[in-house]
Amino acid sequence: MRWLPGLILLLSCGACATTGVRPEGPKVLSLDIEGTDEIGAGEVKDKILTSEPSWYKKLLPWLPFGEDPRFDRNAWRSDLRRITRYYQARGFYEATVVSDRILTEDGQPVRPGMELPDKVRLGVEVREGLPSRVSEVDVNGLESVPADLQLRVTHRLPLGEGDVFVEERWTALKEQIVARLREEGFAEAALEAEALIDVATREVRLRVEVEPGRRYTFGRIFISDGPDAVVTPSRIVDQARNVIREGQVYSETALADAQSKVMLMGVFGSVKVNRGMVNRDEGTVPVVIEVAEAPFHTVRAGAGVGVEAFRTELRLLGEYVNRDF
């Protein structure tokens, strides 16, 4: 362990050599959030600006790694509102910040108007209340869609009756309905939705009005390449047609698969496969493939020297790649 004293000396020197402008505001020594029964305190801390030292900085405060968190009164006031808003986003509309505290290093309260000390300890007490739950999910507008497809579109959505109303899952529900319809050929599927929240009863009713539109099939494939392209468009189309053919029901997964097929040709630096403007008269969606060719000839070279007690090696490495051999 000969290196240990040297490492300690290096860390100590690094700490001593650190210079620069001292950040404004007192150092934050700790941040405690109390009353978090349903949502963890660590999760709440991740959603606010004010932070506390990491565990290793608490254990070894002299380490030069990382910055010491600082306290700002304006940010703190905003954080108290952020805590309430985060609880609301998780379905706890009764949640409130009961109290907050700013303490000195030895635990004495810092009164309003007092000058802040060099180091502070922070605390927040929250009252979570009870969560609001989904009492009804009403999805309308799928009457023109085949019955089996209706079941696939509405099967196991991210939010259902009895679930706590979480805004993130509500967004995912809407996105999933549209994505499933587009996967089944409804390229222009859209919807309008609203969540009716009764804070008194803690019930949430979800209303979704779907506009599936027409069911489309794939149309022609178009290639967009550079002016000096070497690969002929027909070769690119042949690869794409392994997963996309004219008359096939439109699917966004098929677009992604076609992009992978073309990329696997190994001669392109970038490949993008997108849908073109839909042809409502014919009920088709054209496919546009944009490609940028990588260099067809690559040369790389390198050298190295290896020295040992009884041997010295000189290594020369070279590589030539022809991507159109």
Side-chain angles (χ1 to χ4, degrees):
M1 301 292 289
R2 295 180 181 178
W3 51 269
L4 184 57
L7 176 60
I8 295 175
L9 178 61
L10 177 62
L11 293 176
S12 300
C13 291
C16 295
T18 301
T19 60
V21 179
R22 177 185 179 276
E24 295 183 359
K27 291 182 181 180
V28 177
L29 298 177
S30 62
L31 171 59
D32 297 321
I33 300 181
E34 302 167 357
T36 53
D37 298 322
E38 298 294 331
I39 298 178
E43 189 176 343
V44 176
K45 290 178 184 180
D46 289 340
K47 300 300 178 181
I48 62 178
L49 294 177
T50 305
S51 61
E52 62 181 345
S54 57
W55 64 268
Y56 59 83
K57 287 289 284 185
K58 289 182 179 179
L59 186 63
L60 302 171
W62 48 268
L63 285 175
F65 310 119
E67 295 183 359
D68 295 317
R70 299 282 173 168
F71 176 74
D72 180 87
R73 284 187 186 273
N74 293 329
W76 181 243
R77 285 192 289 267
S78 297
D79 281 339
L80 299 178
R81 293 191 293 271
R82 287 189 184 94
I83 292 173
T84 302
R85 179 66 191 99
Y86 179 64
Y87 267 98
Q88 291 174 350
R90 296 295 305 274
F92 290 80
Y93 291 94
E94 297 177 341
T96 58
V97 173
V98 178
S99 63
D100 69 286
R101 58 184 180 273
I102 305 171
L103 307 176
T104 62
E105 184 176 5
D106 57 1
Q108 299 301 313
V110 178
R111 305 295 182 188
M114 289 178 56
E115 183 178 350
L116 291 172
D118 292 334
K119 300 176 182 179
V120 295
R121 298 186 184 277
L122 306 174
V124 178
E125 182 183 356
V126 299
R127 182 183 296 119
E128 294 178 330
L130 296 175
S132 296
R133 295 184 179 273
V134 177
S135 61
E136 181 183 353
V137 181
D138 190 10
V139 180
N140 298 308
L142 295 175
E143 294 78 16
S144 61
V145 175
D148 60 332
L149 179 53
Q150 292 183 36
L151 293 176
R152 291 200 297 273
V153 170
T154 57
H155 179 63
R156 297 187 66 176
L157 292 170
L159 203 57
E161 292 185 16
D163 292 338
V164 175
F165 179 71
V166 178
E167 291 180 7
E168 188 177 72
R169 294 171 64 185
W170 171 228
T171 300
L173 178 148
K174 293 179 285 185
E175 292 175 348
Q176 198 167 104
I177 289 176
V178 172
R180 287 177 176 178
L181 283 169
R182 290 181 178 175
E183 190 64 20
E184 298 285 350
F186 296 89
E188 295 184 298
L191 58 77
E192 293 184 359
E194 62 178 354
L196 306 175
I197 304 169
D198 190 327
V199 179
T201 62
R202 297 187 295 277
E203 292 184 351
V204 182
R205 290 180 294 165
L206 305 181
R207 297 281 186 266
V208 182
E209 293 291 335
V210 184
E211 297 178 6
R214 180 174 181 171
R215 200 172 194 181
Y216 287 88
T217 58
F218 281 114
R220 293 181 57 191
I221 299 176
F222 298 91
I223 307 299
S224 174
D225 52 13
D228 302 320
V230 176
V231 182
T232 59
S234 60
R235 292 177 63 187
I236 302 172
V237 172
D238 287 342
Q239 292 298 315
R241 280 180 177 160
N242 286 321
V243 290
I244 291 178
R245 294 186 178 276
E246 291 188 33
Q248 175 184 331
V249 174
Y250 172 82
S251 162
E252 297 197 343
T253 296
L255 293 178
D257 291 343
Q259 181 168 300
S260 298
K261 282 287 186 183
V262 176
M263 196 68 189
L264 285 174
M265 294 176 70
V267 294
F268 299 114
S270 67
V271 176
K272 293 181 180 179
V273 178
N274 298 307
R275 77 181 199 189
M277 185 175 296
V278 299
N279 187 326
R280 293 191 177 93
D281 295 332
E282 298 180 1
T284 59
V285 180
V287 178
V288 180
I289 302 178
E290 301 178 23
V291 296
E293 292 179 356
F296 277 78
H297 305 278
T298 303
V299 178
R300 290 190 290 183
V305 177
V307 180
E308 298 181 7
F310 302 102
R311 182 176 63 180
T312 301
E313 292 183 355
L314 174 64
R315 302 184 185 90
L316 298 175
L317 302 174
E319 180 184 71
Y320 168 71
V321 178
N322 184 338
R323 293 184 174 84
D324 194 33
F325 182 68

